Amino acid sequence: MFRSVLAAALMVLTMALAFPLAAQQQQQAINYQTWELVAERAEDLIVNPQATDAQLAQTRARIVEWRDQLRQGQSVNAERIATLRSQIDALGAAPAEGETEAEETAARRTELNQQLATAQAPRVAAAEAVSRANSVIAQIDEVIRQRQALELTKQTPSPLLPGSWAQAASAGLSLAEGVGAEIVLREVGPETITALRPKLPAAIAYLLAALALLTYGRAWVDSLPSRLSVRASDHSRAVLAFVTSLGQIAIPMIGVALLINALQATGLPGPWTTPFLNALPMSAVILFGGIWLARSLFPQKAIAYTSLQMTEQARVSAGRVVRALAILFAAHHLLTRAALPLAGLYEQGEAQVSRVPLLFPEAGAGVWHLVLITLAGLAMVRLGNILRRLTREAVTQDLSYRHWVMAWAGRLTRIIGPLAIVVTAAGYVNLGNLMVWPWLLSLALIALLILMQDFIADLFYLLQRGAEGAREGLAPLLIGFALVLLSIPLFLVIWGASTSELGEYWQRFLAGFSLGGVTLSPGAVLMLLIVFAVGYGITRAVQGVFRSSILPKTRLDAGGQNAVVVGLGYVGIFIAALIAITSAGIDLSAFAIVAGALSVGIGFGLQNIVSNFVSGIILLIERPVSVGDWVSAGGQQGIVKNISIRSTLVETFDRTEVIVPNSDFISQPVTNWTRHNKIGRIIIPVGVAYGSDTRKVERVLREITEDHPLVAIDPPPSILFRALGADSLDFEIRAILADVGTGLGVTSDLLHEIARRFAEEGIEIPFAQRDIWLRNPEALPGHPGPRETAPTALAGQPDPRIAAARQETARALPAADDTPEADLDAR
């Protein structure tokens, strides 16, 4: 066993080593003379108006094969060329004009340059051949597109002419007679009946199974989502309903396949019915797929939710119109694939190979197309009117982008339908078909994208077991966006792009584009993203190791540890970006001119951002502020929680987060209460009434302060008699705390104790009082004049409040002749 595994491994290794050698030999074996002949013949065929589409397609395929071989030749001698360039670079820069270098160096440089030119010659030839191949392919595609455009804009007799109706009726009767003759077995003889008998059991079994699936099976699967969703949980109901609803397409399609097998098993289908049987599967997909879209996007009764916010009446009406359009589209596909010409985009390739043996006249075919397009156009007007009102009659104002997309699609739909009818009636039948059916397919694809995005969101909702916000997460959004990008080739195919054209677009996409001398391709971008992601992950891992294992064992404080971790992050991300750009093959020197041009704009437009970035680096290096410090800056005060590139996060004491630009910490004064230690001082002013014993007040305040457990003893607190105030004797407590963060709590405790002790000691805490004297009260509005008599109840009796105020003032101030009291009494 071990030997066989070892032998297999050696074989794989040998093949891996031999493959580059074989590829190189194949590259070197390119016969450019043969290529020149092939290219010349292709160019002659392009200018030949008699060349058929089949010849052009065959020539194009051959040129594509040659181009693949030539592209391999562009990588010949890659290692040799890299080695020669390294040797030339080792010689130093070439001498400038008018300068010389050593003879040996000059001779060696000349020899290496000749060898480099020889090694690059096959690559240059291959690049030139690839360019010519691209040109030939582009010319062939242009010729084919021009022919298709001429075919699509070809005008036939108007379907409104009576002669067209007569031809349509005659051809329709001939088609019915031919199909009917095969169905009723009109031309079947006894020998055919004898040969049919052994096949009847299998045919009958297929037929019975098909009828069962198309009747009972379809009814059962139609009701399955509703029945299962009743038993499902809230977070799994939508996913279960969507998955089971796909059976509404699968079960009928199986029934159609069995029906076709039943008919083919008899061997009776002939040239009239076989084309219809060949077109029936795709017609069934269109029919049942359209019905499924109608039920899923416009349900009469939503199982979990509705994908589009619209009224119930509009939703039911839209579902009916979509089902009608599905029936018309299925009928159009069945008839055009089996009998009718002028099918628009579907009149290409092998579409007409398996048609019935009847030369359907173009005028008669236009009549049948006009009937189908008219019915479809009227339905499109109805559907467009419903969709365009999505943003106007929505049941909620919270509309997503899908509503705006569908509303614009509705506006276009109500225009395209009538326009297609007019164009078809004018005789441009191919153009009318081009306008209607691809547009309906585009609408169906848009609806499918909406349903798929909802399914992905529901799937994440299921995986996270109904977590809040799971449907609106970033991952479902990115996957939905990826689906939109992946649907672009499908839209191109719907509007007539061939597989060869898609392959050409893909080749151009892989080749990338040039921007400022730098070639960007999907491979380079993918390599850049992968390398950067790996470097970013390594950086985060290193940061985690330093944060949790290494830095805690050092003597650095919390702020220093955070500075080291953040600095490692900056350096790691910069190195990862540099390695990623280099790995993608992007030459950084190509950005020198662009960077120089942008520097002026950055200097003016982004100076604040650059200033904050530089300030952030200074904060991390000098560390005047660290995480966990209590700071006052920019009018804000709180604890530093994080220092980022542009700003610093400060959490205030009321638990709000304030974003302070880093430049404020560098260019403005900053108070850091806890930078080197948490020791701080509190100052508490205390006022007592005049007449209090100042020594007693000092003693009481000292006892209160020294008794608090958080007040430092060394240095001891100070009690200072600061001033003789206007209303009080002003004292001040100055105390040192081991943790200044407890200052507010200590202040509150001391004030509580001061109020209690002053009450016990009889020390009065004053408060400001003011007396207001009116010199001329009679000047006030509403005051009785000098001749008016006061009310009887107050006549001759002074206001007791005024008397009390006078007595209080007399006790407080000395009376004099020039005092307000004397002046008032004199009056």
Side-chain angles (χ1 to χ4, degrees), residues 582-662:
T582 306
S583 300
I586 300 176
D587 187 6
L588 294 178
S589 61
F591 292 101
I593 300 177
V594 179
L598 292 178
S599 60
V600 178
I602 292 174
F604 286 98
L606 303 178
Q607 55 183 345
N608 290 333
I609 297 177
V610 175
S611 175
N612 290 324
F613 176 76
V614 175
S615 299
I617 295 177
I618 294 174
L619 290 178
L620 292 175
I621 295 176
E622 294 186 355
R623 294 199 298 120
V625 175
S626 300
V627 175
D629 288 352
W630 173 13
V631 299
S632 297
Q636 303 294 334
Q637 185 175 157
I639 306 299
V640 176
K641 291 298 182 181
N642 183 36
I643 301 176
S644 62
I645 296 178
R646 189 194 66 85
S647 60
T648 297
L649 179 64
V650 177
E651 183 181 73
T652 62
F653 295 110
D654 56 359
R655 292 296 185 266
T656 59
E657 294 183 349
V658 180
I659 308 299
V660 182
N662 288 331

Side-chain angles (χ1 to χ4, degrees), residues 18-40:
F19 180 77
L21 298 176
Q24 186 173 359
Q25 292 175 359
Q26 182 180 3
Q27 294 167 1
Q28 294 176 351
I30 296 176
N31 191 336
Y32 287 97
Q33 294 180 353
T34 306
W35 156 246
E36 292 291 338
L37 294 175
V38 172
E40 289 176 0

Side-chain angles (χ1 to χ4, degrees), residues 190-215:
E191 295 147 359
T192 306
I193 299 296
T194 305
L196 179 62
R197 289 176 182 173
K199 303 177 182 178
L200 282 179
I204 293 174
Y206 281 131
L207 183 62
L208 293 177
L211 294 176
L213 289 176
L214 291 174
T215 54

Side-chain angles (χ1 to χ4, degrees), residues 239-251:
V239 174
L240 184 62
F242 181 85
V243 173
T244 54
S245 68
L246 296 177
Q248 298 172 3
I249 302 176
I251 297 299

